[in-house]
PDB file of all heavy atoms in Angstrom:
ATOM      1  N   ARG U 256      -1.960  68.051 -26.707  1.00 98.00           N
ATOM      2  CA  ARG U 256      -0.402  68.225 -26.538  1.00 98.00           C
ATOM      3  C   ARG U 256       0.141  69.196 -27.406  1.00 98.00           C
ATOM      4  O   ARG U 256       0.888  70.023 -27.048  1.00 98.00           O
ATOM      5  CB  ARG U 256       0.322  66.892 -26.428  1.00 98.00           C
ATOM      6  CG  ARG U 256      -0.267  65.788 -25.390  1.00 98.00           C
ATOM      7  CD  ARG U 256       0.406  64.515 -25.379  1.00 98.00           C
ATOM      8  NE  ARG U 256      -0.149  63.488 -24.663  1.00 98.00           N
ATOM      9  CZ  ARG U 256       0.318  62.691 -23.696  1.00 98.00           C
ATOM     10  NH1 ARG U 256       1.660  62.565 -23.718  1.00 98.00           N
ATOM     11  NH2 ARG U 256      -0.323  61.873 -23.041  1.00 98.00           N
ATOM     12  N   ARG U 257      -0.112  68.929 -28.735  1.00 98.00           N
ATOM     13  CA  ARG U 257       0.361  69.819 -29.811  1.00 98.00           C
ATOM     14  C   ARG U 257      -0.076  71.360 -29.605  1.00 98.00           C
ATOM     15  O   ARG U 257       0.627  72.166 -29.841  1.00 98.00           O
ATOM     16  CB  ARG U 257       0.190  69.282 -31.173  1.00 98.00           C
ATOM     17  CG  ARG U 257       0.893  67.961 -31.407  1.00 98.00           C
ATOM     18  CD  ARG U 257       0.733  67.477 -32.840  1.00 98.00           C
ATOM     19  NE  ARG U 257       1.410  66.238 -33.125  1.00 98.00           N
ATOM     20  CZ  ARG U 257       2.720  66.209 -33.433  1.00 98.00           C
ATOM     21  NH1 ARG U 257       3.366  67.348 -33.629  1.00 98.00           N
ATOM     22  NH2 ARG U 257       3.198  65.026 -33.690  1.00 98.00           N
ATOM     23  N   GLU U 258      -1.353  71.433 -29.355  1.00 98.00           N
ATOM     24  CA  GLU U 258      -1.950  72.805 -29.105  1.00 98.00           C
ATOM     25  C   GLU U 258      -1.204  73.448 -27.946  1.00 98.00           C
ATOM     26  O   GLU U 258      -0.976  74.691 -27.982  1.00 98.00           O
ATOM     27  CB  GLU U 258      -3.358  72.727 -28.844  1.00 98.00           C
ATOM     28  CG  GLU U 258      -4.175  72.297 -30.086  1.00 98.00           C
ATOM     29  CD  GLU U 258      -5.654  71.915 -29.635  1.00 98.00           C
ATOM     30  OE1 GLU U 258      -5.929  71.976 -28.520  1.00 98.00           O
ATOM     31  OE2 GLU U 258      -6.352  71.495 -30.638  1.00 98.00           O
ATOM     32  N   LEU U 259      -0.933  72.824 -26.798  1.00 98.00           N
ATOM     33  CA  LEU U 259      -0.286  73.422 -25.766  1.00 98.00           C
ATOM     34  C   LEU U 259       1.208  73.768 -26.002  1.00 98.00           C
ATOM     35  O   LEU U 259       1.713  74.824 -25.688  1.00 98.00           O
ATOM     36  CB  LEU U 259      -0.287  72.426 -24.476  1.00 98.00           C
ATOM     37  CG  LEU U 259      -1.692  72.185 -23.836  1.00 98.00           C
ATOM     38  CD1 LEU U 259      -1.620  71.188 -22.852  1.00 98.00           C
ATOM     39  CD2 LEU U 259      -2.251  73.504 -23.286  1.00 98.00           C
ATOM     40  N   LEU U 260       1.779  72.870 -26.832  1.00 98.00           N
ATOM     41  CA  LEU U 260       3.257  73.179 -27.221  1.00 98.00           C
ATOM     42  C   LEU U 260       3.286  74.422 -28.158  1.00 98.00           C
ATOM     43  O   LEU U 260       4.335  75.245 -28.109  1.00 98.00           O
ATOM     44  CB  LEU U 260       3.810  71.972 -27.823  1.00 98.00           C
ATOM     45  CG  LEU U 260       4.149  70.830 -26.867  1.00 98.00           C
ATOM     46  CD1 LEU U 260       4.504  69.486 -27.532  1.00 98.00           C
ATOM     47  CD2 LEU U 260       5.161  71.208 -25.785  1.00 98.00           C
ATOM     48  N   GLU U 261       2.342  74.530 -29.010  1.00 98.00           N
ATOM     49  CA  GLU U 261       2.308  75.730 -29.944  1.00 98.00           C
ATOM     50  C   GLU U 261       2.194  76.996 -29.052  1.00 98.00           C
ATOM     51  O   GLU U 261       2.783  77.978 -29.413  1.00 98.00           O
ATOM     52  CB  GLU U 261       1.149  75.629 -30.860  1.00 98.00           C
ATOM     53  CG  GLU U 261       1.356  74.571 -32.036  1.00 98.00           C
ATOM     54  CD  GLU U 261       0.150  74.421 -32.873  1.00 98.00           C
ATOM     55  OE1 GLU U 261      -0.803  75.274 -32.774  1.00 98.00           O
ATOM     56  OE2 GLU U 261       0.203  73.518 -33.661  1.00 98.00           O
ATOM     57  N   LEU U 262       1.397  76.903 -27.956  1.00 97.00           N
ATOM     58  CA  LEU U 262       1.157  78.167 -27.159  1.00 97.00           C
ATOM     59  C   LEU U 262       2.584  78.331 -26.417  1.00 97.00           C
ATOM     60  O   LEU U 262       2.863  79.450 -26.251  1.00 97.00           O
ATOM     61  CB  LEU U 262       0.142  77.756 -26.140  1.00 97.00           C
ATOM     62  CG  LEU U 262      -0.344  78.894 -25.286  1.00 97.00           C
ATOM     63  CD1 LEU U 262      -0.721  80.182 -26.041  1.00 97.00           C
ATOM     64  CD2 LEU U 262      -1.378  78.405 -24.284  1.00 97.00           C
ATOM     65  N   ALA U 263       3.222  77.305 -25.973  1.00 97.00           N
ATOM     66  CA  ALA U 263       4.404  77.480 -25.317  1.00 97.00           C
ATOM     67  C   ALA U 263       5.462  78.243 -26.191  1.00 97.00           C
ATOM     68  O   ALA U 263       6.283  79.016 -25.606  1.00 97.00           O
ATOM     69  CB  ALA U 263       5.005  76.139 -24.976  1.00 97.00           C
ATOM     70  N   GLU U 264       5.423  77.995 -27.479  1.00 97.00           N
ATOM     71  CA  GLU U 264       6.313  78.724 -28.305  1.00 97.00           C
ATOM     72  C   GLU U 264       5.956  80.237 -28.369  1.00 97.00           C
ATOM     73  O   GLU U 264       6.789  81.096 -28.303  1.00 97.00           O
ATOM     74  CB  GLU U 264       6.271  78.181 -29.759  1.00 97.00           C
ATOM     75  CG  GLU U 264       6.895  76.764 -29.920  1.00 97.00           C
ATOM     76  CD  GLU U 264       8.417  76.702 -29.767  1.00 97.00           C
ATOM     77  OE1 GLU U 264       9.005  77.803 -29.789  1.00 97.00           O
ATOM     78  OE2 GLU U 264       8.893  75.687 -29.610  1.00 97.00           O
ATOM     79  N   THR U 265       4.690  80.541 -28.432  1.00 96.00           N
ATOM     80  CA  THR U 265       4.234  81.896 -28.501  1.00 96.00           C
ATOM     81  C   THR U 265       4.526  82.631 -27.147  1.00 96.00           C
ATOM     82  O   THR U 265       4.973  83.754 -27.178  1.00 96.00           O
ATOM     83  CB  THR U 265       2.721  81.900 -28.766  1.00 96.00           C
ATOM     84  OG1 THR U 265       2.499  81.293 -29.964  1.00 96.00           O
ATOM     85  CG2 THR U 265       2.177  83.375 -28.779  1.00 96.00           C
ATOM     86  N   LEU U 266       4.325  81.999 -26.008  1.00 97.00           N
ATOM     87  CA  LEU U 266       4.483  82.639 -24.666  1.00 97.00           C
ATOM     88  C   LEU U 266       5.756  82.260 -24.027  1.00 97.00           C
ATOM     89  O   LEU U 266       5.937  82.781 -22.913  1.00 97.00           O
ATOM     90  CB  LEU U 266       3.261  82.238 -23.751  1.00 97.00           C
ATOM     91  CG  LEU U 266       1.940  82.623 -24.266  1.00 97.00           C
ATOM     92  CD1 LEU U 266       0.839  82.233 -23.335  1.00 97.00           C
ATOM     93  CD2 LEU U 266       1.767  84.058 -24.456  1.00 97.00           C
ATOM     94  N   ASP U 267       6.625  81.579 -24.618  1.00 97.00           N
ATOM     95  CA  ASP U 267       7.942  81.225 -24.098  1.00 97.00           C
ATOM     96  C   ASP U 267       7.729  80.474 -22.721  1.00 97.00           C
ATOM     97  O   ASP U 267       8.392  80.796 -21.651  1.00 97.00           O
ATOM     98  CB  ASP U 267       8.752  82.499 -23.796  1.00 97.00           C
ATOM     99  CG  ASP U 267      10.262  82.082 -23.474  1.00 97.00           C
ATOM    100  OD1 ASP U 267      10.678  80.944 -23.796  1.00 97.00           O
ATOM    101  OD2 ASP U 267      10.893  82.936 -22.839  1.00 97.00           O
ATOM    102  N   LEU U 268       6.910  79.421 -22.729  1.00 98.00           N
ATOM    103  CA  LEU U 268       6.696  78.730 -21.607  1.00 98.00           C
ATOM    104  C   LEU U 268       7.570  77.324 -21.601  1.00 98.00           C
ATOM    105  O   LEU U 268       7.974  76.832 -22.643  1.00 98.00           O
ATOM    106  CB  LEU U 268       5.166  78.167 -21.509  1.00 98.00           C
ATOM    107  CG  LEU U 268       4.102  79.225 -21.474  1.00 98.00           C
ATOM    108  CD1 LEU U 268       2.766  78.646 -21.709  1.00 98.00           C
ATOM    109  CD2 LEU U 268       4.339  80.133 -20.355  1.00 98.00           C
ATOM    110  N   THR U 269       7.868  76.790 -20.412  1.00 98.00           N
ATOM    111  CA  THR U 269       8.536  75.573 -20.266  1.00 98.00           C
ATOM    112  C   THR U 269       7.673  74.729 -19.426  1.00 98.00           C
ATOM    113  O   THR U 269       7.104  75.155 -18.473  1.00 98.00           O
ATOM    114  CB  THR U 269       9.897  75.691 -19.526  1.00 98.00           C
ATOM    115  OG1 THR U 269      10.661  76.499 -20.303  1.00 98.00           O
ATOM    116  CG2 THR U 269      10.552  74.387 -19.346  1.00 98.00           C
ATOM    117  N   PHE U 270       7.491  73.423 -19.958  1.00 98.00           N
ATOM    118  CA  PHE U 270       6.686  72.436 -19.224  1.00 98.00           C
ATOM    119  C   PHE U 270       7.649  71.535 -18.387  1.00 98.00           C
ATOM    120  O   PHE U 270       8.623  71.084 -18.869  1.00 98.00           O
ATOM    121  CB  PHE U 270       5.935  71.620 -20.237  1.00 98.00           C
ATOM    122  CG  PHE U 270       4.757  72.265 -20.861  1.00 98.00           C
ATOM    123  CD1 PHE U 270       4.919  72.842 -22.158  1.00 98.00           C
ATOM    124  CD2 PHE U 270       3.485  72.351 -20.283  1.00 98.00           C
ATOM    125  CE1 PHE U 270       4.009  73.528 -22.711  1.00 98.00           C
ATOM    126  CE2 PHE U 270       2.527  73.058 -20.918  1.00 98.00           C
ATOM    127  CZ  PHE U 270       2.726  73.651 -22.177  1.00 98.00           C
ATOM    128  N   ILE U 271       7.181  71.005 -17.196  1.00 98.00           N
ATOM    129  CA  ILE U 271       7.662  69.874 -16.550  1.00 98.00           C
ATOM    130  C   ILE U 271       6.709  68.704 -16.840  1.00 98.00           C
ATOM    131  O   ILE U 271       5.548  68.810 -16.441  1.00 98.00           O
ATOM    132  CB  ILE U 271       7.775  70.171 -14.897  1.00 98.00           C
ATOM    133  CG1 ILE U 271       8.668  71.218 -14.685  1.00 98.00           C
ATOM    134  CG2 ILE U 271       8.142  68.834 -14.303  1.00 98.00           C
ATOM    135  CD1 ILE U 271       8.708  71.565 -13.077  1.00 98.00           C
ATOM    136  N   GLU U 272       7.194  67.762 -17.537  1.00 98.00           N
ATOM    137  CA  GLU U 272       6.413  66.595 -17.827  1.00 98.00           C
ATOM    138  C   GLU U 272       6.619  65.554 -16.877  1.00 98.00           C
ATOM    139  O   GLU U 272       7.734  64.826 -17.050  1.00 98.00           O
ATOM    140  CB  GLU U 272       6.550  66.192 -19.267  1.00 98.00           C
ATOM    141  CG  GLU U 272       5.589  65.007 -19.726  1.00 98.00           C
ATOM    142  CD  GLU U 272       5.777  64.785 -21.246  1.00 98.00           C
ATOM    143  OE1 GLU U 272       6.638  65.258 -21.871  1.00 98.00           O
ATOM    144  OE2 GLU U 272       4.752  64.092 -21.774  1.00 98.00           O
ATOM    145  N   ASP U 273       5.791  65.239 -15.923  1.00 98.00           N
ATOM    146  CA  ASP U 273       5.923  64.238 -14.976  1.00 98.00           C
ATOM    147  C   ASP U 273       5.387  62.937 -15.562  1.00 98.00           C
ATOM    148  O   ASP U 273       4.077  62.922 -15.660  1.00 98.00           O
ATOM    149  CB  ASP U 273       5.349  64.624 -13.675  1.00 98.00           C
ATOM    150  CG  ASP U 273       5.569  63.721 -12.579  1.00 98.00           C
ATOM    151  OD1 ASP U 273       6.420  62.749 -12.639  1.00 98.00           O
ATOM    152  OD2 ASP U 273       5.079  63.775 -11.479  1.00 98.00           O
ATOM    153  N   ASP U 274       6.090  61.978 -15.928  1.00 98.00           N
ATOM    154  CA  ASP U 274       5.589  60.952 -16.777  1.00 98.00           C
ATOM    155  C   ASP U 274       5.822  59.471 -16.199  1.00 98.00           C
ATOM    156  O   ASP U 274       6.519  58.642 -16.756  1.00 98.00           O
ATOM    157  CB  ASP U 274       6.209  61.067 -18.146  1.00 98.00           C
ATOM    158  CG  ASP U 274       5.178  60.386 -19.234  1.00 98.00           C
ATOM    159  OD1 ASP U 274       3.998  60.233 -19.022  1.00 98.00           O
ATOM    160  OD2 ASP U 274       5.676  60.174 -20.425  1.00 98.00           O
ATOM    161  N   PRO U 275       5.466  59.146 -15.049  1.00 97.00           N
ATOM    162  CA  PRO U 275       5.763  57.878 -14.301  1.00 97.00           C
ATOM    163  C   PRO U 275       5.067  56.793 -14.913  1.00 97.00           C
ATOM    164  O   PRO U 275       5.501  55.561 -14.821  1.00 97.00           O
ATOM    165  CB  PRO U 275       5.369  58.133 -12.923  1.00 97.00           C
ATOM    166  CG  PRO U 275       4.304  59.153 -12.942  1.00 97.00           C
ATOM    167  CD  PRO U 275       4.585  60.111 -14.087  1.00 97.00           C
ATOM    168  N   TYR U 276       3.811  56.938 -15.639  1.00 97.00           N
ATOM    169  CA  TYR U 276       2.952  55.905 -15.949  1.00 97.00           C
ATOM    170  C   TYR U 276       2.940  55.551 -17.472  1.00 97.00           C
ATOM    171  O   TYR U 276       2.224  54.651 -17.900  1.00 97.00           O
ATOM    172  CB  TYR U 276       1.545  56.136 -15.575  1.00 97.00           C
ATOM    173  CG  TYR U 276       1.502  56.499 -14.159  1.00 97.00           C
ATOM    174  CD1 TYR U 276       1.097  57.777 -13.694  1.00 97.00           C
ATOM    175  CD2 TYR U 276       1.740  55.585 -13.147  1.00 97.00           C
ATOM    176  CE1 TYR U 276       0.978  58.082 -12.358  1.00 97.00           C
ATOM    177  CE2 TYR U 276       1.564  55.916 -11.816  1.00 97.00           C
ATOM    178  CZ  TYR U 276       1.227  57.222 -11.400  1.00 97.00           C
ATOM    179  OH  TYR U 276       1.028  57.553 -10.046  1.00 97.00           O
ATOM    180  N   TRP U 277       3.778  56.250 -18.400  1.00 98.00           N
ATOM    181  CA  TRP U 277       3.611  56.103 -19.725  1.00 98.00           C
ATOM    182  C   TRP U 277       3.841  54.582 -20.173  1.00 98.00           C
ATOM    183  O   TRP U 277       3.139  54.136 -21.016  1.00 98.00           O
ATOM    184  CB  TRP U 277       4.838  56.987 -20.463  1.00 98.00           C
ATOM    185  CG  TRP U 277       4.554  57.189 -21.831  1.00 98.00           C
ATOM    186  CD1 TRP U 277       3.779  58.154 -22.510  1.00 98.00           C
ATOM    187  CD2 TRP U 277       5.066  56.317 -22.930  1.00 98.00           C
ATOM    188  NE1 TRP U 277       3.822  57.942 -23.820  1.00 98.00           N
ATOM    189  CE2 TRP U 277       4.597  56.784 -24.214  1.00 98.00           C
ATOM    190  CE3 TRP U 277       5.795  55.119 -22.977  1.00 98.00           C
ATOM    191  CZ2 TRP U 277       4.833  56.192 -25.451  1.00 98.00           C
ATOM    192  CZ3 TRP U 277       6.038  54.507 -24.322  1.00 98.00           C
ATOM    193  CH2 TRP U 277       5.615  55.122 -25.425  1.00 98.00           C
ATOM    194  N   ARG U 278       4.768  53.929 -19.546  1.00 96.00           N
ATOM    195  CA  ARG U 278       5.094  52.532 -20.016  1.00 96.00           C
ATOM    196  C   ARG U 278       4.031  51.523 -19.471  1.00 96.00           C
ATOM    197  O   ARG U 278       4.151  50.372 -19.871  1.00 96.00           O
ATOM    198  CB  ARG U 278       6.482  52.194 -19.602  1.00 96.00           C
ATOM    199  CG  ARG U 278       7.557  53.124 -20.183  1.00 96.00           C
ATOM    200  CD  ARG U 278       8.863  52.431 -20.388  1.00 96.00           C
ATOM    201  NE  ARG U 278       8.806  51.182 -21.237  1.00 96.00           N
ATOM    202  CZ  ARG U 278       9.819  50.464 -21.457  1.00 96.00           C
ATOM    203  NH1 ARG U 278      11.112  50.820 -21.067  1.00 96.00           N
ATOM    204  NH2 ARG U 278       9.625  49.399 -22.201  1.00 96.00           N
ATOM    205  N   LEU U 279       3.079  51.978 -18.568  1.00 96.00           N
ATOM    206  CA  LEU U 279       1.926  51.138 -18.244  1.00 96.00           C
ATOM    207  C   LEU U 279       0.837  51.410 -19.119  1.00 96.00           C
ATOM    208  O   LEU U 279      -0.291  50.716 -18.957  1.00 96.00           O
ATOM    209  CB  LEU U 279       1.632  51.429 -16.711  1.00 96.00           C
ATOM    210  CG  LEU U 279       2.773  50.958 -15.726  1.00 96.00           C
ATOM    211  CD1 LEU U 279       2.254  51.316 -14.353  1.00 96.00           C
ATOM    212  CD2 LEU U 279       3.030  49.416 -15.791  1.00 96.00           C
ATOM    213  N   ALA U 280       0.800  52.392 -19.972  1.00 96.00           N
ATOM    214  CA  ALA U 280      -0.328  52.667 -20.741  1.00 96.00           C
ATOM    215  C   ALA U 280      -0.299  51.923 -22.046  1.00 96.00           C
ATOM    216  O   ALA U 280       0.774  51.722 -22.631  1.00 96.00           O
ATOM    217  CB  ALA U 280      -0.390  54.251 -20.956  1.00 96.00           C
ATOM    218  N   ARG U 281      -1.398  51.783 -22.694  1.00 91.00           N
ATOM    219  CA  ARG U 281      -1.566  51.059 -23.953  1.00 91.00           C
ATOM    220  C   ARG U 281      -1.766  52.221 -25.021  1.00 91.00           C
ATOM    221  O   ARG U 281      -2.750  53.101 -24.923  1.00 91.00           O
ATOM    222  CB  ARG U 281      -2.845  50.169 -24.004  1.00 91.00           C
ATOM    223  CG  ARG U 281      -2.624  48.917 -23.141  1.00 91.00           C
ATOM    224  CD  ARG U 281      -3.871  47.962 -23.365  1.00 91.00           C
ATOM    225  NE  ARG U 281      -5.034  48.586 -23.068  1.00 91.00           N
ATOM    226  CZ  ARG U 281      -5.656  48.426 -21.909  1.00 91.00           C
ATOM    227  NH1 ARG U 281      -4.924  47.830 -20.858  1.00 91.00           N
ATOM    228  NH2 ARG U 281      -6.762  49.009 -21.710  1.00 91.00           N
ATOM    229  N   ASN U 282      -0.947  52.252 -26.009  1.00 92.00           N
ATOM    230  CA  ASN U 282      -1.142  53.168 -27.163  1.00 92.00           C
ATOM    231  C   ASN U 282      -1.079  54.645 -26.721  1.00 92.00           C
ATOM    232  O   ASN U 282      -1.789  55.455 -27.142  1.00 92.00           O
ATOM    233  CB  ASN U 282      -2.409  52.930 -27.856  1.00 92.00           C
ATOM    234  CG  ASN U 282      -2.410  51.372 -28.506  1.00 92.00           C
ATOM    235  OD1 ASN U 282      -1.425  50.969 -28.957  1.00 92.00           O
ATOM    236  ND2 ASN U 282      -3.527  50.737 -28.390  1.00 92.00           N
TER     237      ASN U 282
END
Side-chain angles (χ1 to χ4, degrees):
R256 299 179 189 220
R257 292 187 180 276
E258 291 169 358
L259 292 174
L260 290 169
E261 288 176 9
L262 184 62
E264 293 291 347
T265 301
L266 298 180
D267 192 25
L268 302 178
T269 299
F270 289 94
I271 296 174
E272 184 174 13
D273 188 8
D274 207 17
Y276 307 112
W277 194 92
R278 300 207 59 181
L279 294 175
R281 293 187 297 271
N282 304 316

